[in-house]
Amino acid sequence: MHATCKLRAPDVTHSDPAGVGGARSWASRARSASPAPGCTGLVLTTRRGTPIEPRNLNRHFYPIRERLGLDVRFRGLRHTCVTLLLGIGVPPHIVRDIVGHSALDVTMNIYAHADMTEKRAALDRLGSLLADE
């Protein structure tokens, strides 16, 4: 990350191979920190703070993926993130802003899939509401 940035992206460790703990800690600090002058605001950068070239990112990502035994492409991480955010009830317009889609329709058409459990729960809630009236 650029020398003037206060935050560093989380590292993957043996005790936390997915980097989840570090990512949560980083996200918490990122929310409370004010951006330093010259900081790009990017989570993943080169050591000089510039955006990572896609080929270089893949060159580093795939060995980590194999070491962790994951069968996912880098792009799949984005899809998983959006799906999880929507699944925990983050408003779609916030998810749209996080992933940088230009329109809410894009986010919802690509990522919003409800499984049968979610559909049944929604209809059960509607039924309960109507039964109380």
Side-chain angles (χ1 to χ4, degrees), residues 81-100:
C81 176
V82 172
T83 302
L84 290 172
L85 288 170
L86 291 169
I88 61 172
V90 174
H93 70 281
I94 301 296
V95 176
R96 177 206 59 210
D97 290 347
I98 290 170
V99 297

Side-chain angles (χ1 to χ4, degrees), residues 1-132:
M1 197 163 242
H2 194 274
T4 61
C5 292
K6 296 178 182 177
L7 297 174
R8 222 171 56 79
D11 292 320
V12 174
T13 65
H14 180 68
S15 62
D16 186 16
V20 174
R24 285 185 182 137
S25 170
W26 183 89
S28 174
R29 288 180 291 147
R31 281 190 297 273
S32 62
S34 58
C39 186
T40 64
L42 299 173
V43 174
L44 301 174
T45 64
T46 65
R47 289 186 176 126
R48 295 184 338 186
T50 58
I52 298 175
E53 291 293 325
R55 287 187 310 193
N56 289 336
L57 179 64
N58 284 333
R59 189 174 60 221
H60 292 283
F61 172 71
Y62 284 101
I64 292 169
R65 178 192 83 153
E66 289 174 18
R67 190 173 66 237
L68 296 174
L70 300 175
D71 185 25
V72 64
R73 292 178 300 179
F74 192 80
R75 182 89 177 155
L77 297 176
R78 175 185 167 94
H79 183 80
T80 299
C81 176
V82 172
T83 302
L84 290 172
L85 288 170
L86 291 169
I88 61 172
V90 174
H93 70 281
I94 301 296
V95 176
R96 177 206 59 210
D97 290 347
I98 290 170
V99 297
H101 289 147
S102 59
L104 186 58
D105 291 353
V106 175
T107 306
M108 297 311 291
N109 288 336
I110 295 173
Y111 294 104
H113 359 272
D115 65 17
M116 288 304 292
T117 305
E118 292 170 337
K119 291 176 185 176
R120 182 169 306 281
L123 292 172
D124 287 345
R125 287 193 309 269
L126 178 61
S128 296
L129 175 71
L130 295 174
D132 290 343

